């Protein structure tokens, strides 16, 4: 099938679905709010895209949680099955979504601290990830529904015994649910393992998100689209990324960037936007890390509508910076809350083509069909 | 803006509303009509968009011109792209190099799509075409290589591409003899009848090829089809040409260029030299056409063919002379190769996929119904083997026969004439004909024996004749008899097919259909007297039934479809009996089908040359009744028909025993409660075709009539006109007693 990447309109939050050529699905974060005025039913949108297993249960092959903040895991307990598959309740309507394999940051091994007050959904993720890790420790790699991959090492050797389910910084993932994928890989750039306690505290403060650079291929082009996805990683993290990779910028290059932290100014600068406004300065290194845009690169801000005000995120100044990066690459900038329009928010879907990203065109309110004069069905084909 | 008519105005508005379109402008054309120009966003993927073009050269925005004819929407708008658009992409219509490039965006007729789906669909197709062109996805070679377009050719050659491609001579031209015919204005030409040709052209061959014969207003010549074969490229064979290119050949110079591009240059040059050399000694008054083909090797087989070679064929007119015969400016016109008529082509056009032919079909009766069924079958590529009819054509046959009056001969026999016409479908191979009565047919004669001794053969009887049916029923051959006829002045029809081993037989099945017609209120006494006949001459023999050709066709179509299914699937084990009801609207046909099991023959105890046949339906009912009464004798009333002529009784069904009947271990006593009424009702609905025949009862042991049975039979004698039967169901079969009185 044609690979696709869909950004769901979830305001200041993240929710992205990757469909690979093999048909495997990777869901990055969720922010499923109660649908209502101005809030789209993205859980329904997601279910419409998912396959169901032989028991009719919808599933994602992989769910990646970049970090356990509420705007990245909201709706987990309500919409997803957690716990062993033997406990699945087929009577739920709609049926809960099975996560065949979890890709989790090592934060699950840490206790909640004042930096990490965990929501119910975050606790549920941690609990489920720990259940799966425990099963691995007991029985080795589990079956779908029990699988887990831990993204990055934790300090104090807490993850040293994870062996086959641990992916370390700078390592590449090539399997989904244990199956090798010809046109897919994901390079783990963060979380980074701190050298000492001081750095660890620093990294934690800067939202130690998972950063993955996904390569999504099609046909004979395995690197058709590189998709850099960095959760809420902030300026300190990006500066460190630049320091690590400035001699090998390939690992930071992208055709598609999800702006970290909902187009937040703190991704690009140490200064406070609300205090300094236009005087605030961009961190050259963070910008360098985030501007390795390949020709035609597309930058998507998954955030509320970006306005020229004090609010951050999303920040108008960050948007301008990203627009400039996109322009340099002859690419485009998109905001999930403005597609199709602020009043008619729809999932923003790109097809992966050998020539990069191709937007799946949508038309407003069925204009096309009425214009085509096919509203009441076409004429039957006759033979004589 | 230019003033447009209302339809064009709509078309422009719809173009503006397309999401891929911007910058729409309209310009009037000097000769009428308008050119509407629009920018199409080709939705290039991001990387290519940034690079300014896709690898196939499609730009992020392509300007498309739609040429609307002045009589739009009677003709469709034609889209074209910039003249330097990549012409090597597939699905580009023929055009001259340097002209604007016309994409082929619609499969089939653009005008039809315009009127079925609207003009917006045409725009949408252009947008889709451009997107696919950008990604080099215009073609899916899964089903095979798509041959070069030959949409509006005026020249046709009937030739089997696969057959020609089998015998290529690398680097040389291969010559085939063909007939070509063309009118004086040369506007069209048609070639056919490919035969082996000489290895090279000689003066005498060329002289023959330029000797034109006039047939009415047409010129006919024994010309050549010249296949220029590509040079072999070592062990890899000829080079593979995997690039599409629009056909831009308009003269011999273009043809030479194309030949060089596809590796056929040497072969074409050799032929041209050969032609020039022999031309010096041949004089000719007029130009004659020859067809020149370039055999182009493609990376995969052509769609619908086995061969990888595409024969790009052109007509060039030659006139032997001193000096070069094929001059650079000699016009070259594309020739459409059409598949010659063959059973395979007929089956393909009929949508029949299997190549297996599982049965042979013969016909007794080549009248209105038989000729139509035979034609249906032949048109699907299946040739009837045997035609039997002793009847000649009379003028009134023009009302319903499949043949046209021009195909009748004054004293023509129907079977012979039909065979002649059917042969035209099969390169002249005609069915074997017997033009006398079927009763005289020598089944053992080697002309007929192969068919009649074949147990996978079906002989379709459309005579509607009882005597023919009875004759066929007992005739000693293995082919199964199939029968179809219309009844009730065309308001009903039946179709039957004997089961394996010719059981049930054709007469059994006809009796079965009578019962089914009775149940459906369709059984009628045969129409007699003037109401049912039409005089078509003087004399009591010259009458026919009044019925339209369409009425016969309603039935012939169904029978033809059944015959085709038999050709594909083979003959079924069970017999088949179908009845058709033609609706009062005179156009609806409702068929009811039964699979009919074997007929059981009752041993007639005190043999008096009667035979008693128990049809499957009656047998099943009796078996069910016996199974329900395992410890006592049971019974009822048998119904069916009697042929006094053949001394044959056919039991089609049984009626339940009256409620006051008594069942005991050693006797069954048929009660009387309500029985007379039921028998009267049955006899009435039986219309003199079916009636109550007597009784049946079961014996618990395998023995025949008891003395009580004989006494009862004797008592029954004379109670029913013709013959009365007392049938005994035994664990091992049937016994019967028959008492007749005429």
């Amino acid at each position: 099938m044609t690979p696709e990447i869909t950004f769901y309109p979830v305001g200041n939050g993240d929710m992205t679905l990757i469909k690979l050529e093999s048909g495997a699905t990777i869901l990055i974060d969720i922010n499923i709010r109660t649908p209502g005025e101005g809030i789209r039913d993205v859980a329904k949108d997601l279910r419409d895209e998912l396959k169901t297993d032989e028991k009719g249960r919808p599933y994602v092959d992989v769910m990646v949680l970049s970090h356990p903040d509420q705007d990245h895991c909201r709706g987990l307990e309500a919409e997803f099955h957690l716990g062993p598959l033997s406990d699945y309740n087929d009577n739920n309507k709609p049926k809960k979504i099975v996560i065949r394999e979890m890709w989790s940051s090592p934060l699950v091994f840490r206790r909640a601290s004042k930096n990490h007050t965990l929501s119910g959904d975050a606790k549920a993720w941690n609990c489920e990830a720990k259940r799966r890790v425990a099963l691995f420790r007991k029985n080795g790699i589990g079956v779908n529904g029990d699988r887990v991959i831990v993204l990055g090492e934790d300090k104090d050797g807490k993850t040293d015994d994870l062996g086959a389910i641990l992916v370390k910084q700078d390592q590449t993932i090539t399997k989904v649910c244990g199956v090798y994928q010809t046109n897919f890989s994901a390079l783990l750039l963060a979380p980074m393992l701190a050298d000492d306690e001081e750095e660890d505290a620093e990294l934690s403060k800067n939202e130690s998100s998972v950063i993955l650079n996904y390569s999504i291929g099609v046909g004979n082009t395995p690197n058709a689209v590189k998709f850099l996805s960095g959760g809420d990683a902030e300026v300190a993290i990006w500066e460190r990324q630049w320091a690590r990779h400035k001699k090998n910028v390939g690992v930071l290059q992208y055709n598609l960037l999800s702006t970290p932290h909902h187009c937040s100014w703190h991704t690009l600068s140490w200064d406070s936007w609300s205090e300094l406004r236009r005087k605030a300065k961009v961190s050259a290194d963070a910008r360098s890390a985030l501007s390795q845009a390949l020709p035609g690169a597309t930058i998507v801000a998954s955030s509320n509508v970006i306005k020229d005000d004090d609010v951050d995120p999303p920040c108008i100044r960050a948007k301008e910076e990203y627009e400039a990066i996109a322009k340099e690459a002859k690419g485009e900038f998109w905001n999930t809350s403005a597609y199709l329009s602020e009043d008619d928010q729809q999932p923003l879907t790109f097809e992966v083509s050998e020539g990069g990203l191709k937007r799946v065109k949508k038309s407003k309110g069925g204009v096309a069909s009425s214009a085509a004069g096919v509203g009441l069905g076409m004429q039957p084909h006759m033979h004589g | 803006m230019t003033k447009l008519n209302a339809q064009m105005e709509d078309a422009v508005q719809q173009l503006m509303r397309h999401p891929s379109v911007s910058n729409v402008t309209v310009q009037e054309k000097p000769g009428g009509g308008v050119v509407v120009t629009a920018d199409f966003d080709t939705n290039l993927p991001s990387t290519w968009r940034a690079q300014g073009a896709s690898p196939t050269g499609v730009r992020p925005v392509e300007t498309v011109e739609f040429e609307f004819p002045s009589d739009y929407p009677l003709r469709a708008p034609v889209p074209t792209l910039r003249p330097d658009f990549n012409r090597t992409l597939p699905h580009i219509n023929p055009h001259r190099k340097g002209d604007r490039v016309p994409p082929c965006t619609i499969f089939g007729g653009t005008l039809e799509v315009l009127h079925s789906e609207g003009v917006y669909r045409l725009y949408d197709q252009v947008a889709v075409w451009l997107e696919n062109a950008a990604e080099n996805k215009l073609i899916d070679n899964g089903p095979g290589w798509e041959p070069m377009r030959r949409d509006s050719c005026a020249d046709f050659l009937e030739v089997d591409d696969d057959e020609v491609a089998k015998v290529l001579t690398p680097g040389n031209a291969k010559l085939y003899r063909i007939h070509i015919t063309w009118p004086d204005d040369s506007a069209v030409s048609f070639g056919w009848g490919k035969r082996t040709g000489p290895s090279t052209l000689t003066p005498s061959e060329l002289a023959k090829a330029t000797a034109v014969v006039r047939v009415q207003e047409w010129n006919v010549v024994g010309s050549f089809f010249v296949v220029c074969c590509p040079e072999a490229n070592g062990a890899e064979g000829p080079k593979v040409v995997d690039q599409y290119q629009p056909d831009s050949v308009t003269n011999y110079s273009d043809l030479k260029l194309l030949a060089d591009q596809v590796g056929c240059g040497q072969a074409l040059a050799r032929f041209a030299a050969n032609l020039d050399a022999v031309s010096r000694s041949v004089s000719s008054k007029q130009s004659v056409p020859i067809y020149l083909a370039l055999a182009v090797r493609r990376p995969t087989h052509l769609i619908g063919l086995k061969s990888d070679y595409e024969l790009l064929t052109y007509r060039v007119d030659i006139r032997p002379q001193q000096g070069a015969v094929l001059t650079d400016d000699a016009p070259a016109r594309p020739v459409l190769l059409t598949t010659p008529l063959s059973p395979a082509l007929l089956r393909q056009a009929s949508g029949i996929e299997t190549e297996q032919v599982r049965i042979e079909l013969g016909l007794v009766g080549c009248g209105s119904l038989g000729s139509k069924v035979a034609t249906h079958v032949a048109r699907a590529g299946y040739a009837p083997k045997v035609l039997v009819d002793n009847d000649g054509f009379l003028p009134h046959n023009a009302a319903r026969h499949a043949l046209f009056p021009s195909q009748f001969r004054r004293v023509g026999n129907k079977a012979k004439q039909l065979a002649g016409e059917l042969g035209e479908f099969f390169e002249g191979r005609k069915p074997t004909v017997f033009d006398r009565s079927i009763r005289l047919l020598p089944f053992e004669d080697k002309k007929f024996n192969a068919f009649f001794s074949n147990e996978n053969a079906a002989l379709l009887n459309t005579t509607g004749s009882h005597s023919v049916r009875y004759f066929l029923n007992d005739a000693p051959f293995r082919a199964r008899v199939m029968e179809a006829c219309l009844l009730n002045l065309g308001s009903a029809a039946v179709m039957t097919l004997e089961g394996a081993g010719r059981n049930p037989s054709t007469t059994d099945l006809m009796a079965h259909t009578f019962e089914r017609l009775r149940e459906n209120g369709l059984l009628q006494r045969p129409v007699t007297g003037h109401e049912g006949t039409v005089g078509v001459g003087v004399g009591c023999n010259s009458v026919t039934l009044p019925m339209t050709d369409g009425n016969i066709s309603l039935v012939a179509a169904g029978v033809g479809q059944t015959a085709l299914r038999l050709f594909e699937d083979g003959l079924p084990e069970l017999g088949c009996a179908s009845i058709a009801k033609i609706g009062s609207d005179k156009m609806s046909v409702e068929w009811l089908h039964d699979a009919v099991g074997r007929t059981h023959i009752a041993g007639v105890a005190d043999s008096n040359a009667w035979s008693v046949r128990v049809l499957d339906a009656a047998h099943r009912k009796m078996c069910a009744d016996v199974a329900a009464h395992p410890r006592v004798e049971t019974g009822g009333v048998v119904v069916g028909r009697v042929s006094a002529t053949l001394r044959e009784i056919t039991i089609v069904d049984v009626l339940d025993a009256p409620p006051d009947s008594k069942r005991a271990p050693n006797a069954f006593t048929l009660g009387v409660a309500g029985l007379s009424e039921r028998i009267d009702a049955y006899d009435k609905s039986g219309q003199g075709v079916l009636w109550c025949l007597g009784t049946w009862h079961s014996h618990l042991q395998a023995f025949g009539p008891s003395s009580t049975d004989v006494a009862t039979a004797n008592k029954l004698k004379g109670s029913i006109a013709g013959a009365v039967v007392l049938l005994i169901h035994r664990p091992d079969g049937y016994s019967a007693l028959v008492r007749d009185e005429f």
Side-chain angles (χ1 to χ4, degrees):
Chain A
M1 62 172 291
T2 306
E4 281 182 2
I5 304 165
T6 300
F7 293 87
Y8 294 92
V10 292
N12 271 6
D14 274 346
M15 181 163 164
T16 310
L17 181 70
I18 303 174
K19 284 190 187 176
L20 301 180
E21 195 175 45
S22 66
T25 46
I26 299 173
L27 178 65
I28 306 167
D29 295 341
I30 48 168
N31 186 29
I32 302 173
R33 301 165 293 172
T34 308
E37 185 69 26
I39 296 178
R40 194 178 164 90
D41 188 352
V42 289
K44 181 183 181 302
D45 288 334
L46 175 65
R47 277 196 178 81
D48 288 347
E49 291 297 319
L50 297 183
K51 289 187 286 193
T52 52
D53 64 16
E54 65 286 353
K55 291 181 177 161
R57 300 165 179 173
Y59 68 89
V60 290
D61 287 287
V62 170
M63 179 167 167
V64 189
L65 183 63
S66 65
H67 65 291
D69 277 1
Q70 182 64 347
D71 54 349
H72 293 257
C73 61
R74 182 179 277 117
L76 183 76
E77 283 189 287
E79 304 292 346
F80 290 77
H81 172 75
L82 303 170
L85 269 183
S86 52
D87 295 347
Y88 190 93
N89 181 355
D90 284 298
N91 298 323
N92 279 329
K93 281 186 186 164
K95 288 188 176 185
K96 288 196 172 184
I97 300 165
V98 173
I99 304 168
R100 291 188 159 181
E101 183 168 86
M102 300 171 84
W103 292 6
S104 178
S105 94
L107 288 177
V108 294
F109 298 104
R110 300 198 177 183
R111 287 176 188 283
S113 67
K114 63 179 179 209
N115 284 334
H116 296 102
T117 44
L118 295 180
S119 67
D121 284 317
K123 284 177 187 158
W125 174 274
N126 278 10
C127 178
E128 175 65 6
K130 281 180 182 163
R131 179 187 77 81
R132 295 183 181 205
V133 169
L135 265 181
F136 165 76
R137 285 183 166 135
K138 191 175 163 199
N139 303 326
I141 289 176
V143 295
N144 288 342
D146 288 338
R147 288 178 172 277
V148 62
I149 299 279
V150 176
L151 302 174
E153 291 167 280
D154 201 2
K155 60 176 187 173
D156 307 330
K158 283 182 190 163
T159 50
D160 286 357
D161 64 336
L162 294 182
I165 61 165
L166 178 67
V167 177
K168 296 179 182 173
Q169 188 183 354
D170 300 333
Q171 284 185 339
T172 300
I173 305 170
T174 55
K175 289 180 181 174
V176 168
C177 292
V179 178
Y180 175 74
Q181 306 283 314
T182 43
N183 267 328
F184 169 76
S185 65
L187 173 67
L188 185 69
L189 296 171
M192 301 185 284
L193 184 59
D195 293 333
D196 50 44
E197 285 292 331
E198 194 184 338
E199 189 181 25
D200 187 63
E202 184 75 37
L203 292 177
S204 296
K205 255 195 292 179
N206 275 276
E207 299 291 359
S208 190
S209 279
V210 167
I211 304 175
L212 279 163
N213 198 347
Y214 300 91
S215 288
I216 301 153
V218 64
N220 297 318
T221 313
N223 284 324
V225 166
K226 293 177 80 180
F227 170 30
L228 184 61
S229 168
D232 282 358
E234 294 203 334
V235 60
I237 308 287
W238 293 108
E239 284 181 349
R240 279 173 168 76
Q241 287 294 327
W242 183 244
R244 281 177 64 87
H245 301 299
K246 62 185 170 190
K247 289 186 178 149
N248 178 25
V249 295
V251 300
L252 291 168
Q253 283 176 341
Y254 60 84
N255 303 91
L256 175 64
L257 170 71
S258 175
T259 61
H261 201 194
H262 328 300
C263 207
S264 136
W265 180 240
H266 277 295
T267 302
L268 291 162
S269 170
W270 291 95
D271 295 342
S272 161
W273 168 250
S274 55
E275 289 167 17
L276 296 174
R277 297 286 301 214
R278 295 278 164 187
K279 289 177 189 158
K281 289 200 173 75
V282 169
S283 155
D285 282 2
R287 191 191 190 279
S288 294
L290 285 164
S291 61
Q292 299 308 311
L294 290 163
T298 302
I299 298 176
V300 178
S302 182
S303 70
N304 291 334
V305 177
I306 306 164
K307 294 179 180 153
D308 190 358
D309 56 18
D310 289 353
V311 173
D312 178 23
C315 169
I316 184 75
R317 178 71 184 84
K319 176 189 171 184
E320 288 165 6
E321 207 60 43
Y322 289 121
E323 280 181 330
I325 293 168
K327 195 177 171 192
E328 284 164 30
K330 296 186 181 170
E332 292 176 338
F333 176 88
W334 292 91
N335 172 216
T336 51
S337 291
Y339 181 80
L340 287 166
S341 68
E342 289 178 32
D343 301 329
D344 179 19
Q345 296 186 6
Q346 294 196 18
L348 172 61
T349 300
F350 299 95
E351 264 180 31
V352 174
S353 141
E354 295 194 0
L357 285 172
K358 201 170 150 181
R359 192 155 54 82
V360 176
K361 286 188 178 174
K362 284 184 187 139
S363 50
K364 276 192 176 180
V367 170
S369 65
S370 64
V374 294
L376 292 173
M378 294 179 284
Q379 289 197 41
H381 294 296
M382 296 164 187
H383 302 86
Chain B
M1 191 186 263
T2 313
K3 187 161 168 44
L4 300 172
N5 67 30
Q7 288 96 335
M8 279 191 204
E9 185 67 50
D10 288 348
V12 171
Q13 289 301 324
Q14 294 213 20
L15 181 58
M16 287 171 169
R17 289 163 78 176
H18 195 281
S20 299
V21 168
S22 57
N23 295 333
V24 176
T25 58
V26 181
Q27 204 179 1
E28 211 165 344
K29 272 196 327 185
V34 293
V35 173
V36 181
T37 307
D39 286 346
F40 274 71
D41 178 349
T42 61
N43 200 22
L44 278 198
S46 54
T47 308
W48 297 342
R49 183 175 284 264
Q51 288 164 352
S54 78
T56 55
V58 177
R59 297 172 187 164
V61 173
E62 291 285 354
T63 303
V64 181
E65 280 186 14
F66 290 92
E67 198 173 319
F68 282 78
S70 54
D71 55 358
Y72 173 84
L74 291 179
R75 283 185 295 149
V78 178
T80 56
L81 303 162
R82 56 190 159 87
D84 59 346
F85 192 88
N86 183 356
R87 303 169 71 241
T88 65
L89 291 170
H91 291 304
I92 288 179
N93 284 321
H95 65 286
R96 290 182 69 93
K97 195 172 179 183
D99 287 353
R100 289 184 64 83
V101 174
C104 174
T105 58
I106 301 272
F107 178 76
T110 310
L111 191 59
E112 285 307 306
V113 172
L114 172 66
H115 286 283
S116 64
E117 300 181 44
V119 70
Y120 188 91
R121 179 64 194 278
L122 302 187
Y123 306 144
D124 218 30
Q125 280 303 112
V126 171
V128 170
W129 189 96
L130 284 167
E131 275 200 52
N132 287 335
E135 297 197 65
N136 206 10
K137 284 182 181 166
L138 279 172
I139 208 142
D140 170 14
N141 272 340
W145 181 267
E146 188 163 306
M148 195 176 270
R149 292 197 70 110
R150 288 279 190 269
D151 288 10
S152 48
C153 285
D155 301 276
F156 302 87
L157 170 61
E158 209 180 86
V159 73
D160 184 338
D161 187 301
D162 275 343
E163 204 180 285
V164 173
K166 268 189 224 159
V167 275
L168 297 176
T169 51
N172 270 314
K174 185 154 179 61
L175 273 60
Y176 294 95
R177 290 178 219 278
I178 52 167
H179 298 292
I180 300 182
T181 184
W182 74 103
D184 284 337
D185 66 3
S186 232
V188 296
S189 74
F190 180 69
W192 78 100
K194 177 185 77 67
R195 288 150 2 259
T196 314
S199 52
T200 55
L201 210 53
T202 61
S204 70
E205 291 281 0
L206 184 60
K208 271 194 272 175
T210 51
V212 178
V213 178
R214 292 285 293 184
V215 179
Q216 291 168 348
E217 67 270 37
W218 291 84
N219 301 296
V220 183
V221 77
S223 184
F224 289 100
F225 172 45
V226 182
V227 180
C228 299
C229 311
E231 294 154 50
N233 195 2
E236 292 171 5
K239 88 165 178 184
V240 175
V241 183
D242 60 359
Q243 280 247 313
Y244 280 89
Q245 53 199 127
D247 197 348
S248 54
V249 173
T250 58
N251 57 33
Y252 183 64
S253 169
D254 298 334
L255 182 58
K256 278 196 295 186
L257 193 67
L258 178 61
D260 286 337
Q261 287 167 359
V262 299
C264 299
Q266 180 185 305
L268 183 61
R270 283 182 180 169
F271 172 73
N274 180 204
L275 180 62
D276 289 347
V278 298
S279 283
R280 291 185 202 112
S281 49
V282 178
S283 68
S284 167
K285 288 188 198 131
Q286 72 177 102
S287 296
V288 294
I290 58 168
Y291 295 150
L292 290 171
L294 307 178
V296 185
R297 189 178 176 195
R298 298 303 190 185
T300 179
H301 68 91
L302 272 69
I303 292 174
L305 296 175
K306 295 185 181 79
S307 166
D308 292 355
Y309 284 89
E310 182 176 0
L311 300 175
L312 296 179
T313 308
Y314 299 87
R315 167 185 168 179
V316 182
D317 289 10
I318 59 162
R319 186 172 170 189
Q321 58 186 7
Q322 300 294 324
V325 178
L326 293 165
T327 54
D328 279 0
D329 59 352
R333 296 204 316 217
V335 175
L336 175 69
L337 301 189
T338 60
T339 312
L341 182 59
S342 69
L345 180 72
L346 292 168
R347 282 204 274 276
Q348 195 186 353
S350 303
I352 294 169
E353 286 172 7
T354 176
E355 288 182 10
Q356 282 200 314
V357 181
R358 295 182 186 275
I359 67 155
E360 289 184 337
L361 183 73
L363 282 100
V364 187
C366 298
S368 48
L369 180 59
S371 65
K372 285 180 170 64
V373 175
T375 309
H376 284 314
V377 167
R379 286 187 195 281
Y382 298 109
K385 286 279 174 200
V386 174
L387 299 183
V388 183
D389 199 316
N390 62 346
D391 209 2
F393 281 105
L394 288 171
H396 76 271
N397 291 130
R400 292 189 298 246
H401 200 275
L403 298 190
F404 287 91
S406 62
Q407 294 163 322
F408 299 176
R409 286 201 208 120
R410 289 275 150 159
V411 287
N413 168 271
K414 284 180 182 169
K416 258 188 190 165
Q417 291 303 113
L418 182 62
E421 297 303 329
L422 293 178
E424 294 294 315
F425 288 96
F426 305 101
E427 293 174 335
R429 289 192 301 279
K430 298 177 195 174
T432 309
V433 168
F434 189 70
D435 62 357
R436 300 166 68 195
S437 162
I438 181 81
R439 295 178 192 83
L440 304 172
L441 193 143
F443 296 112
E444 297 302 321
D445 187 301
K446 66 176 182 204
K447 257 167 85 179
F448 301 105
N449 184 254
F451 175 81
F452 283 97
S453 63
N454 179 3
E455 62 183 11
N456 289 314
L459 180 70
L460 175 61
N461 169 18
T462 58
T463 62
S465 154
H466 299 295
S467 64
V468 169
R469 182 181 319 119
Y470 284 118
F471 170 76
L472 294 174
N473 195 72
D474 295 334
F477 55 75
R478 298 174 76 186
R480 292 201 220 169
V481 176
M482 186 175 174
E483 178 167 3
C485 58
L486 286 89
L487 306 163
N488 307 349
L489 291 178
S491 66
V494 304
M495 180 179 66
T496 64
L497 171 63
E498 291 180 332
R502 301 195 59 195
N503 185 345
S505 72
T506 190
T507 53
D508 293 340
L509 290 162
M510 190 52 73
H512 176 94
T513 60
F514 286 153
E515 172 61 13
R516 297 286 278 139
L517 289 165
R518 187 197 66 79
E519 288 166 9
N520 285 277
L522 294 171
L523 191 62
Q524 294 178 6
R525 282 171 199 280
V527 180
T528 54
H530 290 296
E531 57 173 316
T533 56
V534 181
V536 292
V538 180
C540 67
N541 196 27
S542 44
V543 291
T544 190
L545 295 173
M547 210 181 287
T548 63
D549 187 48
N551 194 156
I552 306 245
S553 290
L554 288 174
V555 175
V559 178
Q561 292 286 80
T562 303
L564 292 182
R565 206 176 59 238
L566 297 176
F567 273 106
E568 285 186 69
D569 299 345
L571 298 174
E573 181 72 17
L574 296 175
C576 308
S578 308
I579 63 169
K581 184 180 180 179
I582 316 293
S584 56
D585 58 3
K586 297 191 185 294
M587 61 190 285
S588 325
V589 189
E590 186 190 3
W591 284 97
L592 301 169
H593 306 287
D594 288 335
V596 183
R598 298 179 70 78
T599 296
H600 299 262
I601 315 291
V604 179
D606 39 1
S607 174
N608 45 8
W610 282 91
S611 68
V612 175
R613 304 178 69 82
V614 181
L615 299 195
D616 185 43
H619 167 69
R620 283 166 189 267
K621 270 198 190 171
M622 285 187 274
C623 289
D625 198 347
V626 168
H629 301 98
R631 291 188 173 77
V632 290
E633 292 188 5
T634 182
V637 174
V638 292
V639 294
R641 55 185 281 105
V642 175
S643 166
T645 321
L646 297 174
R647 292 178 86 85
E648 186 175 274
I649 294 169
T650 308
I651 294 167
V652 299
D653 200 6
V654 295
L655 307 182
D656 292 342
D660 56 338
S661 302
K662 293 190 173 64
R663 295 177 176 88
N666 54 3
F668 168 73
T669 310
L670 185 71
V672 294
L675 184 59
S676 300
E677 293 81 358
R678 282 167 61 208
I679 289 173
D680 285 350
Y682 185 89
D683 287 355
K684 198 172 172 204
S685 66
Q687 293 281 320
V689 178
L690 299 170
W691 60 89
C692 171
L693 297 174
T695 67
W696 78 278
H697 69 284
S698 63
H699 280 180
L700 300 183
Q701 306 296 329
F703 58 80
S706 63
S707 54
T708 312
D709 295 338
V710 174
T712 303
N714 290 339
K715 213 158 56 177
L716 285 170
K717 181 175 176 178
S719 65
I720 295 169
V724 62
V725 62
L726 186 146
L727 181 72
I728 298 158
H729 179 283
R730 300 157 42 152
D732 61 342
Y734 290 95
S735 295
L737 292 167
V738 178
R739 295 292 178 266
D740 56 66
E741 187 174 85
F742 296 99

